[in-house]
């Protein structure tokens, strides 16, 4: 019974596998008779295409300044260190100002004295001064009358030879001298009544203006002892410390505007005519894409690279993630005049003598039959997962796009989309 059972099981197993094999062979034969399913693409001719080119440049700060003070002096205060962020107009450093303050006090005192004198000239003489001058004139007039009377008597006496001629001449001289003093007093009184002369006022005003100018110059010197940030950014270098005596030519700090970055990229001359100021451009760094705006195309040609430098203003997001000095790339499309057909890269197989081949689906000898025809082609340009080719091809050809390693020339096929 056991033997009979084993024979039955063996026979059933053999019959089952024979039937399965027969079914598989039958299906394979039917597939071969109908044709292998393939996916095709219809060729369309192209006369030109845009070729992507990548150009390399560098990230730079929009503004970078070597900051220094505008006058020499002893450095007494530095408020920032390397790496510190700063805001525009923030005080960064100071010089010793003791000498300048003393000079200012002296100039201010001289200016106050000059202004007081000017005020006095503008106000003119006081009434008491004029009254005193008038009294002096009256006194001189009275004295002159007495001397004139004495001189008249001496003249009569001289005619009678009662006095000598010397006495007569002495009295005459006294009259003339008194007259001169009276004329001088009258002139002084007239000047006092008319007030200060315009020339004197102008001269004193010039003295005051000169001192004002010196005070203004001193104020500028005081302001130059303070170093302020010209724009917001970050301190990159600090060259001196407190106590150092520096000169105007000595840089003190290096300030980098890290919130506004630019990309400086060299581009071939023939690519620049299509670049427009304000146009949006994409740049890449470490596999990431950033947005930028075309700021300028510099007019000069780089003598080493023979390219024109393109300046791109990076967006705020890029400024937060990038730092000056990094290498950045710009991808641009270059128009290329070239005739051919686009094919998927998967449609190509290696041919002979450096050429490539692809399979076209063409009508067979039997009506309704489709077969494969091997075509020799030349690759003109590769772009991602597609290639531009030319060869024994024409517009409208249906080319197999995948699985060509399983195919052969003159093999019967069916198109998936038609099935």
């Amino acid at each position: 019974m056991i033997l009979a059972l084993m024979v039955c099981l063996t026979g059933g197993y053999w019959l089952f596998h024979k039937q399965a094999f027969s079914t598989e062979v039958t299906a394979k034969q039917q597939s071969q008779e109908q044709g292998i399913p393939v996916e095709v693409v219809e060729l369309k001719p192209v006369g030109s295409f845009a070729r992507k080119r990548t150009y390399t440049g560098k990230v730079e700060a929009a503004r970078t300044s070597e900051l220094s003070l505008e006058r020499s002096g002893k450095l007494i205060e530095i408020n920032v260190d390397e790496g510190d962020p700063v805001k525009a107009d923030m005080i960064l450093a100071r010089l010793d100002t003791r000498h300048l303050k003393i000079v200012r006090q002296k100039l201010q005192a001289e200016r106050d004295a000059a202004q007081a004198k000017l005020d006095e000239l503008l106000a003119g003489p006081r009434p008491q001064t004029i009254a005193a001058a008038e009294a002096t004139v009256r006194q001189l007039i009275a004295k002159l009358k007495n001397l004139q009377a004495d001189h008249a008597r001496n003249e009569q006496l001289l005619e009678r030879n009662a006095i000598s001629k010397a006495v007569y001449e002495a009295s005459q001289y006294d009259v003339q001298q008194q007259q001169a003093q009276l004329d001088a007093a009258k002139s002084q009184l007239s000047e006092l009544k008319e007030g200060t002369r315009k020339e004197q006022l102008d001269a004193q005003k010039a003295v005051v203006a000169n001192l004002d100018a010196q005070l203004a110059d001193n104020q500028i010197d005081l302001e130059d002892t303070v170093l302020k940030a010209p724009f917001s950014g970050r301190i990159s270098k600090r060259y001196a410390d407190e106590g150092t005596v520096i000169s105007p030519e000595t840089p003190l700090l290096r300030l980098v505007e890290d919130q506004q970055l630019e990309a400086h990229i060299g581009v071939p001359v023939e690519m620049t005519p299509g670049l427009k100021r304000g146009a949006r451009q994409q740049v890449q760094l470490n596999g990431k894409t950033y947005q930028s705006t075309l700021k300028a195309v510099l007019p000069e040609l780089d003598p080493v690279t023979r390219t024109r430098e393109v300046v791109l203003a990076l967006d705020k997001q890029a400024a937060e993630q990038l730092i000056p000095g990094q290498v950045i790339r710009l991808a641009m499309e270059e128009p290329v005049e070239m005739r051919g057909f686009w094919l998927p890269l998967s449609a190509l197989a290696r041919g002979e003598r450096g050429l490539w081949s692809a399979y076209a689906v063409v009508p067979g000898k039997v009506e309704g039959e489709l077969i494969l025809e091997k075509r020799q082609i030349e690759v003109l340009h590769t772009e991602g997962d597609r290639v531009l080719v030319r060869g024994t091809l024409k517009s409208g050809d249906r080319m197999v796009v995948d699985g060509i390693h399983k195919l052969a020339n003159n093999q019967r096929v069916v198109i998936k989309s038609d099935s």
Side-chain angles (χ1 to χ4, degrees), residues 27 37 41 79 96 111 149 181 184 208 220-221 252 267 284 294 297 338 354 356 371 395:
V41 63
N79 299 322
D96 185 8
R111 200 267 181 196
Q181 291 180 3
V208 174
I220 293 175
D221 288 340
L252 180 59
V267 175
Q284 293 86 31
L294 183 61
V297 179
M338 188 177 293
W356 295 80
I371 62 174
S395 178

Side-chain angles (χ1 to χ4, degrees), residues 342-349 356-357 379 381-389 400-402 404:
W342 286 110
L343 274 179
L345 191 60
S346 57
L348 269 61
W356 295 80
S357 62
V379 175
H381 174 69
T382 303
E383 184 180 287
D385 59 352
R386 67 174 186 167
V387 290
L388 185 69
V389 299
V400 179
V401 299
D402 199 5
I404 58 174

Side-chain angles (χ1 to χ4, degrees), residues 273-301:
L275 297 175
K276 303 298 181 183
R277 186 171 184 176
R280 301 289 289 174
Q281 298 285 344
Q282 289 186 343
V283 291
Q284 293 86 31
L285 194 152
N286 296 331
K288 293 184 178 180
T289 300
Y290 302 95
Q291 297 296 327
S292 66
T293 303
L294 183 61
K295 185 177 179 180
V297 179
L298 302 189
E300 295 181 328
L301 193 69

Side-chain angles (χ1 to χ4, degrees), residues 257-315:
E257 187 179 25
D258 59 346
Q259 297 302 314
Q260 294 185 11
L261 299 181
E262 296 176 347
H264 291 242
I265 301 174
V267 175
V269 177
E270 59 271 15
M271 295 294 292
T272 56
L275 297 175
K276 303 298 181 183
R277 186 171 184 176
R280 301 289 289 174
Q281 298 285 344
Q282 289 186 343
V283 291
Q284 293 86 31
L285 194 152
N286 296 331
K288 293 184 178 180
T289 300
Y290 302 95
Q291 297 296 327
S292 66
T293 303
L294 183 61
K295 185 177 179 180
V297 179
L298 302 189
E300 295 181 328
L301 193 69
D302 190 301
V304 178
T305 62
R306 309 303 297 174
T307 59
R308 290 183 68 181
E309 188 169 309
V310 175
V311 181
L312 300 166
L314 300 176
D315 287 359

Side-chain angles (χ1 to χ4, degrees), residues 204-222:
Q204 192 60 32
K205 287 179 180 179
V207 172
V208 174
N210 180 54
L211 291 170
D212 284 338
Q214 293 184 52
L215 284 169
D217 184 64
N218 176 263
Q219 180 62 35
I220 293 175
D221 288 340
L222 286 170

Side-chain angles (χ1 to χ4, degrees), residues 315-384:
D315 287 359
K316 185 177 181 181
Q317 179 187 3
E320 293 174 351
Q321 300 180 17
L322 307 181
I323 58 175
Q326 287 183 298
V327 175
I328 198 165
R329 292 173 174 83
L330 170 65
M332 298 179 63
E333 291 186 348
E334 176 186 8
V336 178
E337 298 291 334
M338 188 177 293
R339 297 183 177 276
F341 302 91
W342 286 110
L343 274 179
L345 191 60
S346 57
L348 269 61
R350 287 192 175 275
E352 299 176 354
R353 295 185 297 275
L355 296 176
W356 295 80
S357 62
Y359 287 106
V361 176
V362 298
K365 295 180 179 180
V366 181
E367 184 178 355
E369 180 185 41
L370 296 176
I371 62 174
L372 296 178
E373 183 177 274
K374 196 171 187 180
R375 304 281 180 86
Q376 299 297 322
I377 58 177
E378 178 187 358
V379 175
L380 303 175
H381 174 69
T382 303
E383 184 180 287

Side-chain angles (χ1 to χ4, degrees), residues 1-17:
M1 290 179 65
I2 294 174
L3 181 61
L5 180 62
M6 291 180 62
V7 170
C8 292
L9 291 174
T10 303
Y13 177 80
W14 181 80
L15 289 173
F16 174 78
H17 280 276

Side-chain angles (χ1 to χ4, degrees), residues 8 29 59 197 252 329 358 397:
C8 292
Q29 289 176 348
V59 178
R197 293 177 58 186
L252 180 59
R329 292 173 174 83
D397 282 350

